[in-house]
Amino acid sequence: MTRRQVWGMAAAAFVAGGALGFAVAAVQEDKSPPVTVGLPQPPESVVPKTRAGLVDTWTAESR
């Protein structure tokens, strides 16, 4: 065998090993927990976005 054939066989074995590893990883069962859905969020935030709204909310809560 020539040196070129040896390198060719080594490269082919490397590619075949990578493909086999990828195939094995692709068919393995996923062990991670299932994705859960959180509580629905309110459509609008209840936190005032303006300074006047903050003052009004604070005033109402402090009474």
Side-chain angles (χ1 to χ4, degrees):
M1 280 188 164
T2 65
R3 183 175 269 188
R4 183 179 240 178
Q5 288 174 330
V6 171
W7 279 108
M9 287 175 54
F14 182 76
V15 170
L20 179 63
F22 180 78
V24 168
V27 297
Q28 282 185 343
E29 189 175 331
D30 188 13
K31 303 282 187 205
S32 62
V35 176
T36 58
V37 177
L39 295 173
Q41 298 298 318
E44 289 197 23
S45 176
V46 294
V47 177
K49 296 183 182 187
T50 62
R51 184 176 190 150
L54 288 171
V55 170
D56 292 339
T57 303
W58 179 79
T59 305
E61 289 178 356
S62 64
R63 289 184 183 168

